[in-house]
Amino acid sequence: MDNKKMKTLKSLAMATVGVAALALSAPAMAQDDRVVLTLHPIDSDALIENFNPNNPTGPQQMVRDFAYEPLWIDNIWNPEEDFPALATSFEIAEDLMSITYTLREGVKWNDGEDFNADDVVFTFEYAKANVDYPMGIDVYVEETDTGTVVSAEKIDDYTVKFNLKHPDALARYALGGIYPLPEHIWAEIEDPKNFANIDPVATGPWTEIENFSRSSVELCRNETSRYNEENAIDCLRFLQLNGNEQIIAAMSAGEVDWLGTGLTDPEITFTPQSEFNNYWLPAGGDVNLQINTTKAPFNDLEFRKALSVAIDRDTLVDISTFGLTTHTRFPVGTGEAYATWLDEAALEPYTWLMQYDPDRAMELLDAAGFVDADGDGFRDNPDGTPIAFEINIPNGWTDWINSGQTISENLQDVGVNAVVRTMDQGAWNDKARTGDFDSYIMWTNGGPTPYNTYNPMFNPRNMEAGRVDYQAMHQMRLPEVEEALQAFRSTADRDAQQEQMTAIHIAVAENLPIIGLFANPTWYEYSTRNFEGWVTEENPYVRPVVFEGTRERVIHALSLKPISR
């Protein structure tokens, strides 16, 4: 993108901000003396009355952590300061074959029923019985010899032991993230995947649904919550918003307090819009091009190599993403966020795959038989069928749309017909699950170790049609990676884990199931108009991400206090 185009894009972004701000009217602080925190964890064209905690297309963004609590909240940035949640402690067996949780006594569901070990055991059995309901529990399946957790065993009313198929030093991270369901409610639900759950029964600080409309909904105080004494916020409000410019306009107008949206040159388009607008963008995980390797031309390694060197990553970093992202050195799917796990000597032979070289891309394509067979100006598959594919991106995600357009232009320059297709985020979510698509630009999951990125990326259970996980959209099984992941989790020895991680890195670099693009920042914007106590660079007490998947976000919300005026 040249400088002229860049200036035009910035002008359009600022004009859109002004228009969208005028269109919004809902106040961030309610008029009835309630304290309301407005946050925006997901884009949508219209809110849907669905609060199913295991529906990944939107509802779980609103109710996980805030209404439904996990057993344990890992403080990823400050691991010495974890937050016990529905469990108060855990003990890992010496042979790594089990983990036992002591549950918190005196906790009640918001309908008055007691929470206890029966609910946790039920939750495991429910996940086992409903394999198409994505509860995030890696249940062991004997027929396929896949999965990890064999059983959940009630020791007493407040003690549960999880038994594992294999030694697993990392089980505490996954099992601590279980969101228990109330047995007395969900035992009657025969179709959990399609259950709207419009009246949530949960234990968290905010559980009561109020004022639902297609444009906003509030999740309000749980009167039985143990957090009420410290909780200064009566309700969490979620607004229907879509697109970076509209969302930034909402914060600038005082309509939203907490965001995680992509910014376009924040010192021009964001901070000048309001004296209360603040942001901090600490380093985050990589963003990759997820390509569907189950079909041509992505099933050809030489095509994937050509794809990788055809992409101009300098332009992606400096122009398309406004200089807010950073380069990734190696084609391994993760970047500097896990720098201590990178064996630079072992990975050096693969660095060329991350370097822009269109001439080499064309040489690779020619040699592999991807030539223009019909004279239409674009290359075809070796069998003569045309190549034409989409890069799917949600509407309004300007940084990724810019990236997709740059990639499309790069690929067309070497004769590959690729185009950007934008769509509503809900449709984008739904399409990903099917397994029937061409390519997506996609983030990567994070966690305490790179295992948390690679396990969802290469778990074969995440590649099943109809339930394809975002991280495994490439759908390429790599047995050597699966074996190394199993070996990694089977030991608590750091050196042994490093050996397995290097094997994973090399396997990914050699096979290129995904195409690395750049390292994202951690998107975090907040307003000091109504609340104080935000996570800052000077006080990074938890990860500040507003999205589901960051269990610490409930601690962040509970730490906020309204500003007195």
Side-chain angles (χ1 to χ4, degrees):
M1 183 181 293
D2 60 30
N3 290 336
K4 182 178 180 181
K5 290 179 179 177
M6 185 70 180
K7 290 176 181 176
T8 302
L9 184 60
K10 289 177 179 175
S11 299
L12 287 171
M14 294 183 71
T16 307
V17 165
V19 171
L22 293 173
L24 292 165
S25 59
M29 298 286 285
Q31 302 300 313
D32 55 2
D33 295 329
R34 296 182 308 161
V35 176
V36 180
L37 172 73
T38 305
L39 62 165
H40 186 71
I42 187 169
D43 292 7
S44 67
D45 288 340
L47 296 179
I48 297 173
E49 195 171 16
N50 187 321
F51 306 100
N52 190 321
N54 298 306
N55 182 329
T57 64
Q60 73 184 33
Q61 290 280 353
M62 293 186 282
V63 296
R64 276 192 175 183
D65 309 309
F66 305 124
Y68 290 89
E69 297 182 271
L71 294 178
W72 197 264
I73 300 174
D74 290 297
N75 191 348
I76 301 299
W77 279 3
N78 305 283
E80 72 284 1
E81 298 177 4
D82 282 354
F83 302 97
L86 286 177
T88 58
S89 65
F90 60 85
E91 181 177 358
I92 303 171
E94 288 188 7
D95 62 1
L96 306 180
M97 291 294 289
S98 68
I99 180 170
T100 301
Y101 284 91
T102 300
L103 305 180
R104 189 181 299 277
E105 297 188 35
V107 175
K108 290 186 179 295
W109 300 98
N110 60 316
D111 64 357
E113 294 288 327
D114 289 334
F115 161 78
N116 56 39
D118 291 332
D119 295 309
V120 179
V121 173
F122 164 77
T123 300
F124 170 80
E125 296 295 342
Y126 200 63
K128 186 176 180 180
N130 296 277
V131 294
D132 63 340
Y133 183 52
M135 298 175 68
I137 302 175
D138 192 19
V139 177
Y140 175 71
V141 179
E142 187 172 355
E143 291 77 9
T144 57
D145 193 27
T146 58
T148 299
V149 189
V150 174
S151 63
E153 180 181 351
K154 177 181 176 181
I155 306 301
D156 59 37
D157 284 349
Y158 294 98
T159 308
V160 174
K161 179 181 179 183
F162 291 97
N163 299 301
L164 311 176
K165 178 63 178 176
H166 309 285
D168 189 351
L170 308 179
R172 52 153 297 202
Y173 297 115
L175 291 170
I178 288 177
Y179 294 85
L181 297 173
E183 180 180 16
H184 64 285
I185 300 295
W186 287 78
E188 306 298 324
I189 308 302
E190 296 182 353
D191 183 11
K193 193 174 180 180
N194 294 306
F195 178 46
N197 192 38
I198 60 175
D199 188 17
V201 173
T203 61
W206 299 280
T207 57
E208 307 304 310
I209 303 297
E210 296 184 9
N211 301 320
F212 174 82
S213 71
R214 289 171 62 85
S215 60
S216 71
V217 63
E218 293 175 348
L219 186 66
C220 294
R221 187 183 295 274
N222 170 13
E223 296 300 339
T224 70
S225 169
R226 65 187 182 282
Y227 291 108
N228 278 335
E229 187 172 342
E230 64 182 275
N231 180 9
I233 297 172
D234 295 307
C235 298
L236 307 180
R237 175 184 291 135
F238 303 88
L239 299 178
Q240 177 275 313
L241 296 168
N242 200 356
N244 297 357
E245 283 78 20
Q246 185 190 25
I247 295 166
I248 291 169
M251 174 166 281
S252 302
E255 311 296 344
V256 184
D257 301 295
W258 184 9
L259 299 177
T261 196
L263 294 174
T264 56
D265 204 337
E267 295 302 323
I268 294 176
T269 64
F270 183 61
T271 53
Q273 308 306 314
S274 168
E275 63 179 300
F276 304 109
N277 283 1
N278 291 272
Y279 71 93
W280 179 37
L281 307 177
D286 271 20
V287 169
N288 298 318
L289 186 66
Q290 286 270 1
I291 50 178
N292 187 344
T293 68
T294 68
K295 60 181 180 181
F298 308 115
N299 58 355
D300 189 298
L301 175 58
E302 296 307 304
F303 183 87
R304 299 196 296 274
K305 290 179 180 177
L307 191 61
S308 188
V309 298
I311 295 173
D312 180 359
R313 293 176 177 81
D314 286 344
T315 296
L316 293 181
V317 170
D318 297 335
I319 305 298
S320 305
T321 57
F322 311 100
L324 300 174
T325 57
T326 53
H327 281 285
T328 295
R329 292 177 291 163
F330 306 110
V332 297
T334 64
E336 299 308 305
Y338 295 118
T340 58
W341 293 90
L342 297 171
D343 183 336
E344 299 193 17
L347 293 174
E348 196 282 332
Y350 306 98
T351 55
W352 69 274
L353 288 162
M354 298 296 284
Q355 296 166 1
Y356 180 48
D357 191 342
D359 290 336
R360 189 164 187 176
M362 288 189 283
E363 291 173 2
L364 288 166
L365 291 167
D366 289 343
F370 294 97
V371 297
D372 182 5
D374 56 13
D376 67 351
F378 289 113
R379 295 175 184 270
D380 301 292
N381 288 303
D383 67 359
T385 58
I387 297 173
F389 63 86
E390 297 176 343
I391 305 169
N392 294 321
I393 305 169
N395 290 331
W397 291 25
T398 49
D399 50 339
W400 282 17
I401 292 172
N402 294 342
S403 298
Q405 290 172 336
T406 297
I407 294 168
S408 170
E409 292 169 3
N410 290 159
L411 295 182
Q412 292 189 14
D413 286 345
V414 299
V416 174
N417 187 10
V419 297
V420 172
R421 184 187 176 197
T422 61
M423 62 190 76
D424 171 72
Q425 189 178 350
W428 184 80
N429 288 331
D430 291 342
K431 187 177 176 67
R433 302 288 167 189
T434 66
D436 184 17
F437 47 77
D438 296 327
S439 69
Y440 271 57
I441 292 181
M442 183 54 63
W443 63 77
T444 52
N445 290 348
T449 75
Y451 178 92
N452 297 81
T453 297
Y454 289 118
N455 183 51
M457 191 179 285
F458 291 101
N459 189 331
R461 299 172 70 182
N462 287 348
M463 303 178 191
E464 298 175 8
R467 45 184 298 191
V468 173
D469 186 271
Y470 298 122
Q471 303 298 299
M473 295 175 72
H474 57 84
Q475 302 170 76
M476 178 189 291
R477 290 197 63 176
L478 292 176
E480 62 270 43
V481 170
E482 294 173 24
E483 293 170 6
L485 285 169
Q486 183 59 50
F488 183 100
R489 68 192 301 174
S490 299
T491 176
D493 182 87
R494 178 62 167 76
D495 291 340
Q497 289 180 333
Q498 176 66 68
E499 182 179 350
Q500 299 303 327
M501 189 50 59
T502 298
I504 293 169
H505 284 156
I506 291 174
V508 175
E510 287 186 342
N511 291 283
L512 292 181
I514 46 90
I515 306 298
L517 298 178
F518 48 76
N520 236 4
T522 296
W523 297 111
Y524 168 49
E525 300 91 21
Y526 61 100
S527 171
T528 53
R529 184 188 301 268
N530 299 315
F531 292 93
E532 58 187 2
W534 297 101
V535 169
T536 63
E537 186 172 5
E538 294 73 29
N539 185 23
Y541 57 90
V542 293
R543 292 183 297 171
V545 183
V546 72
F547 309 115
E548 187 274 325
T550 305
R551 297 198 290 270
E552 307 98 299
R553 64 181 184 158
V554 67
I555 303 300
H556 196 174
L558 287 166
S559 300
L560 300 177
K561 307 300 177 188
I563 294 175
S564 300
R565 292 193 173 86

